[in-house]
Amino acid sequence: MAAFLQQLINGVSLGAIYALCALGYTMVYGVLQFINFAHGDVFMVGAFAGYYCAPLAAKLFQPQSALGAVMVLLTSMTVCAALGVLIEKLAYRPLRDHPKLTVLITAIGVSLFLEFAGQKFFQADPKPFPELLPHAQYNPMPNLVISSDQLIVMGVSVLLLAGLHFIVRHTKLGTAMRAVAFNPQAAALVGINLDRIISFTFALGSALAAAAGILYAMNYPAIDPLMGVMPGLKAFVAAVLGGIGNLPGAALGGLIIGVVETFVGGTAWSAYRDAIAFAILIVILLVKPAGLLGRTEVEKV
Amino acid sequence: MKIGPKSGLALALAAAVGGSFLTPRLDAYFLNILIDVGVNIILAVSLNLINGYAGQFSLGHAGFMAVGAYTAAGLSTLVSANLLARFHGFEHSCWAFGCFLLALLAGGLLAALTGFLVGAPSLRLKGDYLAIVTLGFGEIIRVLLQNFESLGGARGLSGIPPWATFGWVYGWVAIVIFTVLALVHSTSGRGFLAVRDDEIAAQAVGINTTQYKVSAFVIGAFFAGIAGGLYAHSKQFISPEGFGFMKSVEIVVMVILGGMGNTAGVILAAVVLTLLPEVLRPVAAYRMILYSLLLIVMMLTCPRGLFTALGERAKGWLARPKNGGPP
């Protein structure tokens, strides 16, 4: 029982990170209908922004202080929001009326560019991520260990998800975002500035990816320029699993992928844990292509 | 005299076999690059059938290549290890020739079977979903191979006999080009283009779109498997890492640079992109950054492929009347 709970907690805290990342995929897909392949690399840039900001925060505040950690998180989210807007402006906006495949290939190009530029400028060797907060461990039951980092991951994720929910449901920008996702032409007709909303969507998604990057780096203490590839792909799988374009679906999908992966990692099949997300993806696309919470659309001629 | 496609194939095969008698005199480095170019041509032309002609965007070509490489290399190391001990001079006998051919074909067929399995979901998916599923298949194949201890697992498989000569590689280059071109230009092969251009319209005029999509995957995967076998027998070492997502992207970039559905352009792109890393060796640190920027800039400026755009410009220039007539 304790082992089960332990795996569940590990899985949920990993899943929360996937969920934050998956939201970026699903939001961009909602407004532009394409897979932003570079999203996983924005996640990586977020972790590196935190890495370079942490010494500064330690100097400004006490080392390992809560304020410093918040500053690292906010700085990295700002950097990535700007990066996301920039990527959209330079690489995706000129292609908005092109076939989706062209944009997809461009996104792969952007992703490779961030990876290789990262390897050049951040160096390819894994770097230990600074400890932003003091470590602590709690033992609520025998054989059950919860680390403070896991609690922080879950807490920050819940806060960010609540914030996102508020923005999307209760602000003017969020309403406009939903309108664009529902029907871009109609949204433009009623005076919504498409470019602005799309930029805003990229900023929001990229900021969430940066937060996910910092949280990931806190739990898996080495970061490198290719760290975003696998979590990025798995987060995408999570978005598809939940129903792409559907925000609660992405969060649910992230949790499911995280939990399943952790449980598989605890069995004799642990060597296959990187493949399990893709196996889930293929099964879900064959059985229910619209995802768990998505709705099926019929192409009209 | 116009050379027909079949005599062209025969000539190319003869040239490949003839060339392989001359290559021992070549520099080993140069020969190695030539063989890499050939393998990449096979990969790019076969992927072009799936991506370019049939319009099914696949990001898992390296996975098919891995299946072919591991099957062929596994068989040939097994055979040569067992037979080499018994027969002296097995290396150079015609038995080795036959063994290699069988190993390659087995690799190609198993890759084709994998292609069938990947092609099946393509019936229901399109565009970026299909891309991500093929990517997933490629990753699953890589993870499976990493855990396949009898084939070396994550350490890789070494000691593969060096059977892939110039003649073998360019013989297969001739075969894949002939097959793809003959297929696409045949009456039934026009179905590939119809499926790509408008699937619903193709279905409406009675084309079995499912059959075309799956056969594109099966044929493309078969040749990727052959390319994998040739690659394994020229490098003499393979590891699952070599067949990752990056390798698939490399092949996709060749197809895109050449222009989807433009076989001549794709061949040219395969040659250029294989030679490019050698040329860019002095700026090796920035090589991959340049490579990815090239991809982005190309998509922004001429998404139909650099060589397609250049080809059209050249045609227009040639067709322009001399003496300043109306253009």
Side-chain angles (χ1 to χ4, degrees), chain B residues 59-70:
Chain B
L59 272 178
H61 220 51
F64 301 138
M65 188 188 171
V67 172
Y70 268 92

Side-chain angles (χ1 to χ4, degrees), chain A residues 84-248:
Chain A
V85 172
L86 193 70
I87 291 174
E88 192 272 328
K89 206 161 218 150
L90 293 180
Y92 304 152
R93 186 166 300 176
L95 293 173
R96 205 169 286 165
D97 300 322
H98 281 64
K100 270 189 240 164
L101 227 47
T102 315
V103 195
L104 180 74
I105 297 161
T106 314
I108 294 176
V110 174
S111 159
L112 294 178
F113 175 72
L114 289 177
E115 281 162 26
F116 292 118
Q119 284 184 337
K120 179 68 195 148
F121 296 111
F122 305 144
Q123 307 301 325
D125 55 316
K127 291 185 172 48
F129 194 73
E131 287 179 14
L132 295 177
L133 290 166
H135 280 295
Q137 288 195 331
Y138 309 100
N139 258 36
M141 265 166 73
N143 299 325
L144 179 63
V145 183
I146 306 176
S147 74
S148 56
D149 286 342
Q150 285 177 326
L151 290 177
I152 291 166
V153 167
M154 291 184 227
V156 172
S157 307
V158 169
L159 274 180
L160 289 172
L161 289 182
L164 180 73
H165 183 81
F166 177 78
I167 291 176
V168 172
R169 287 278 148 191
H170 300 287
T171 63
K172 241 183 156 165
L173 269 175
T175 315
M177 231 175 90
R178 282 184 290 142
V180 171
F182 190 71
N183 187 339
Q185 277 84 27
L189 277 178
V190 297
I192 291 171
N193 184 341
L194 282 188
D195 286 346
R196 216 174 115 232
I197 297 304
I198 290 171
S199 288
F200 176 68
T201 309
F202 269 85
L204 213 55
S206 305
L208 289 177
I214 299 273
L215 295 175
Y216 190 85
M218 283 169 73
N219 270 285
Y220 301 84
I223 59 174
D224 67 273
L226 297 181
M227 67 180 273
V229 179
M230 266 296 153
L233 289 176
K234 287 174 189 165
F236 172 72
V237 173
V240 175
L241 175 62
I244 193 134
N246 182 312
L247 296 185

Side-chain angles (χ1 to χ4, degrees), chain B residues 190-272:
Chain B
R190 290 290 170 185
F192 288 115
L193 309 184
V195 170
R196 173 192 67 185
D197 290 340
D198 193 329
E199 199 181 322
I200 296 174
Q203 218 159 11
V205 296
I207 287 173
N208 188 344
T209 53
T210 306
Q211 192 196 324
Y212 275 105
K213 287 192 217 168
V214 174
S215 48
F217 264 101
V218 169
I219 298 166
F222 174 79
F223 284 110
I226 297 283
L230 292 168
Y231 173 83
H233 289 84
S234 88
K235 292 282 177 273
Q236 300 178 48
F237 169 78
I238 47 176
S239 75
E241 288 308 312
F243 302 106
F245 175 50
M246 268 312 298
K247 184 72 198 172
S248 293
V249 169
E250 244 174 68
I251 311 168
V252 168
V253 172
M254 287 172 193
V255 171
I256 291 162
L257 182 72
M260 299 218 253
N262 174 356
T263 298
V266 165
I267 296 169
L268 195 56
V271 176
V272 169

Side-chain angles (χ1 to χ4, degrees), chain A residues 231-284:
Chain A
L233 289 176
K234 287 174 189 165
F236 172 72
V237 173
V240 175
L241 175 62
I244 193 134
N246 182 312
L247 296 185
L252 178 69
L255 285 179
I256 293 176
I257 297 278
V259 170
V260 170
E261 194 185 306
T262 312
F263 273 99
V264 170
T267 64
W269 292 79
S270 63
Y272 296 94
R273 62 181 283 173
D274 273 347
I276 194 75
F278 296 110
I280 295 178
L281 174 76
I282 290 165
V283 171
I284 196 85

Side-chain angles (χ1 to χ4, degrees), chain A residues 29 33-35 37 90-91 94-95 98 100-102 104-106 108-110 112-113 116-117 120 230 233 236 240 244 271-272 274-275 278-279 281-282 285-287 289 299 301, chain B residues 55 57 59 120-121 124-129 131-133 135-137 139-140 142-144 147 200 245-246 249 252-253 256 260 285-286 288-289 291-293 295-296 299-300 303:
Chain A
Y29 197 92
Q33 272 83 45
F34 92 99
I35 302 170
F37 246 100
L90 293 180
L95 293 173
H98 281 64
K100 270 189 240 164
L101 227 47
T102 315
L104 180 74
I105 297 161
T106 314
I108 294 176
V110 174
L112 294 178
F113 175 72
F116 292 118
K120 179 68 195 148
M230 266 296 153
L233 289 176
F236 172 72
V240 175
I244 193 134
Y272 296 94
D274 273 347
F278 296 110
L281 174 76
I282 290 165
L285 284 177
L286 290 177
V287 179
E299 191 180 342
V301 188
Chain B
F57 196 74
L59 272 178
R124 311 182 49 161
L125 307 169
K126 54 182 88 172
D128 27 18
Y129 277 105
I132 209 93
V133 164
L135 192 164
F137 262 107
E139 286 296 303
I140 288 176
R142 189 178 60 82
V143 173
L144 287 179
N147 292 293
I200 296 174
F245 175 50
M246 268 312 298
V249 169
V252 168
V253 172
I256 291 162
M260 299 218 253
Y286 294 96
M288 295 311 287
I289 303 182
Y291 194 79
S292 51
L293 274 179
L295 187 62
I296 302 172
M299 279 296 113
L300 291 173

Side-chain angles (χ1 to χ4, degrees), chain B:
Chain B
M1 190 188 82
K2 198 169 171 7
I3 299 170
K6 276 181 193 146
S7 38
L9 174 69
L11 272 177
L13 282 176
V17 174
S20 73
F21 287 105
L22 297 173
T23 47
R25 300 180 186 195
L26 279 175
D27 184 36
Y29 168 73
F30 189 64
L31 183 61
N32 228 332
I33 293 179
L34 265 183
I35 286 183
D36 284 352
V37 167
V39 169
N40 281 338
I41 292 177
I42 301 176
L43 287 169
V45 170
S46 60
L47 182 66
N48 191 31
L49 178 67
I50 305 177
N51 281 17
Y53 288 117
Q56 306 298 306
F57 196 74
S58 165
L59 272 178
H61 220 51
F64 301 138
M65 188 188 171
V67 172
Y70 268 92
T71 311
L75 285 174
S76 69
T77 37
L78 195 74
V79 168
S80 71
N82 287 336
L83 292 186
L84 211 51
R86 292 198 201 149
F87 301 116
H88 195 67
F90 172 76
E91 282 284 323
H92 303 286
S93 66
C94 56
W95 284 101
F97 181 90
C99 281
F100 187 35
L101 187 63
L102 284 179
L104 276 182
L105 287 177
L109 288 175
L110 205 61
L113 182 70
T114 322
F116 179 75
L117 294 177
V118 179
S122 81
L123 316 181
R124 311 182 49 161
L125 307 169
K126 54 182 88 172
D128 27 18
Y129 277 105
L130 178 64
I132 209 93
V133 164
T134 50
L135 192 164
F137 262 107
E139 286 296 303
I140 288 176
I141 290 170
R142 189 178 60 82
V143 173
L144 287 179
L145 286 174
Q146 261 171 2
N147 292 293
F148 217 79
E149 279 307 320
S150 56
L151 282 175
R155 281 171 287 114
L157 183 63
S158 55
I160 305 165
W163 287 343
T165 57
F166 179 88
W168 277 101
V169 173
Y170 282 87
W172 279 104
V173 167
I175 293 172
V176 68
I177 295 173
F178 171 78
T179 312
V180 169
L181 284 182
L183 196 63
V184 173
H185 290 290
S186 68
T187 312
S188 66
R190 290 290 170 185
F192 288 115
L193 309 184
V195 170
R196 173 192 67 185
D197 290 340
D198 193 329
E199 199 181 322
I200 296 174
Q203 218 159 11
V205 296
I207 287 173
N208 188 344
T209 53
T210 306
Q211 192 196 324
Y212 275 105
K213 287 192 217 168
V214 174
S215 48
F217 264 101
V218 169
I219 298 166
F222 174 79
F223 284 110
I226 297 283
L230 292 168
Y231 173 83
H233 289 84
S234 88
K235 292 282 177 273
Q236 300 178 48
F237 169 78
I238 47 176
S239 75
E241 288 308 312
F243 302 106
F245 175 50
M246 268 312 298
K247 184 72 198 172
S248 293
V249 169
E250 244 174 68
I251 311 168
V252 168
V253 172
M254 287 172 193
V255 171
I256 291 162
L257 182 72
M260 299 218 253
N262 174 356
T263 298
V266 165
I267 296 169
L268 195 56
V271 176
V272 169
L273 284 179
T274 319
L275 297 180
L276 200 61
E278 307 299 325
V279 180
L280 288 180
R281 217 162 263 269
V283 285
Y286 294 96
R287 197 182 81 207
M288 295 311 287
I289 303 182
L290 286 176
Y291 194 79
S292 51
L293 274 179
L294 174 78
L295 187 62
I296 302 172
V297 170
M298 219 169 55
M299 279 296 113
L300 291 173
T301 51
C302 49
R304 285 172 52 230
L306 190 59
F307 294 128
T308 308
L310 285 180
E312 272 164 18
R313 188 157 297 177
K315 251 184 225 161
W317 187 74
L318 285 176
R320 207 166 48 188
K322 306 243 166 89
N323 308 331

